[in-house]
Structure formats: structure tokens, C-alpha cells
Amino acid sequence: MVLLEQPVVRNDLDSMAAIRRETGIPVAADESVRSLADAQAVVARGAADYINIKIMKTGVVEAVEIASFTKASGLKLMIGGMVETRMAMGCSFSLVLGLGGFDVLDLDTPLLLASDPVTGGYQYEGSRLQPWSGPRPRHESSTFPERHHHRIIQPLASSHFLQFKVSPRCCLRPSSVRTQGRFVIGGW
């Protein structure tokens, strides 16, 4: 196991620090960090080894500020996303390429969509992300229903990994992210 991602509720930094301290398993703060002030609180309490940046939580400018602060604090960087198309995920991937220093990339949520409404942009090749050099990506609205992003994804317990039950328009995939032959366990 690489790390535990947000093993407790958002505001329980003391429990997150205790899990980190008592298990020896690295912890990533995800829902606990929605602003630079949140990242500062996580660092001050010793609650995490990684900060998971998601531009949908913070916006791009604050994501850059959080990344800079995290690196200066000696914590590791992780980047992820909500259930987004490759258009938004491409912005996150651009942060990875531009800022550097990210140890864990969890940019697979576009794979949860039944179809890819984006033409152009980066591509998935197995477990690797390939940057693009061609024209800018385009969103094909005819292949992506306007209300599609409102579909509900519910976690289902499993003894081996966390699965998701998704709408009929989406495919079923494990939430664990394959990273160098190991799995990252995701939290909700």
C-alpha cells in the first residue's frame, strides 16, 4: 500500500495525525484541504505526509499556492480530481508538467465516464499519461449529455478493494489507482 487517502472526515485532523503516527502508513489529506489555510492547518498538526490537490476544490491559482507551500513544508504532493472529463483533468496534468514535484498522480477519473467527450489533449497509455503537442482539446457536447455530471457514484464495500456503483452511462471501475505496482486506497 502506498498511502491512505483522507481516512477520516474532513475536520478531524487529530485523528488523521494519530492514524499516521500509530500505523506508520503515509496519509494524504484530500477533503481536509480546500484552501491554503487548510493546508497550513494540516502541516501545523502533522496530520499528513501528502497534500492532494484538486483544482475543482481550490481553483487553479490557489492550487499553485498550495503546491508551493506543500513543497516548502517538506510534505509530498499528490494531484487528483473529481469525476471530470479530460478537459478539466488536462488542466491538472498541466500543473504537474509545469510545477513538477508531484509524487502521486490520481488523474484517472475520466476513465469512469462511459464515453470520452474530448477530442485532442493528453491520452492514457496503460498506466501512463502522455502529454499532447497538437491543437488544443475540444469538447464534443453532442456526446456528453448536459446533466451527465450530476450522476451519483456510490461506494460499495469489498474485502479487496473499493468499487463504485455508477449510472448505466458509466462503466464500473475500481477506485484504487495503480501506482508503480501498488495501490492507493481512496477515501470518501
Side-chain angles (χ1 to χ4, degrees):
M1 181 177 331
V2 176
L3 60 89
L4 294 172
E5 181 181 346
Q6 194 65 42
V8 298
V9 296
R10 177 191 185 308
N11 295 323
D12 194 357
L13 297 181
D14 291 334
S15 292
M16 199 153 66
I19 288 170
R20 180 177 171 256
R21 185 176 54 251
E22 294 174 22
T23 67
I25 299 171
V27 171
D30 184 349
E31 286 81 4
S32 293
V33 178
R34 295 190 285 189
S35 67
L36 179 58
D38 288 345
Q40 292 166 337
V42 166
V43 169
R45 304 275 273 284
D49 302 279
Y50 293 80
I51 300 287
N52 189 358
I53 294 175
K54 294 181 179 173
I55 62 169
M56 293 299 161
K57 291 188 303 186
T58 64
V60 175
V61 172
E62 194 148 17
V64 171
E65 292 171 355
I66 293 168
S68 296
F69 170 77
T70 300
K71 288 194 272 189
S73 299
L75 271 68
K76 295 179 180 179
L77 282 171
M78 175 178 181
I79 193 160
M82 311 303 197
V83 178
E84 304 162 13
T85 68
R86 284 186 310 111
M87 190 71 71
M89 206 54 70
C91 184
S92 295
F93 189 36
S94 293
L95 285 179
V96 169
L97 297 173
L99 297 175
F102 286 86
D103 293 284
V104 178
L105 307 182
D106 184 5
L107 300 177
D108 65 341
T109 59
L111 298 174
L112 293 170
L113 302 174
S115 63
D116 187 355
V118 178
T119 56
Y122 74 91
Q123 297 294 317
Y124 295 95
E125 289 182 11
S127 63
R128 302 182 68 91
L129 294 172
Q130 297 299 321
W132 67 98
S133 58
R136 66 184 176 94
R138 289 190 326 268
H139 183 269
E140 302 294 331
S141 60
S142 63
T143 63
F144 193 66
E146 185 178 325
R147 294 181 12 223
H148 188 79
H149 66 281
H150 294 295
R151 305 241 186 267
I152 296 172
I153 299 177
Q154 301 172 329
L156 298 172
S158 169
S159 59
H160 300 291
F161 56 85
L162 186 68
Q163 294 181 338
F164 291 111
K165 177 177 137 187
V166 296
S167 74
R169 292 186 174 233
C170 293
C171 55
L172 294 175
R173 295 198 180 267
S175 69
S176 302
V177 179
R178 195 147 182 83
T179 308
Q180 298 175 0
R182 297 169 286 183
F183 284 94
V184 176
I185 306 300
W188 281 81

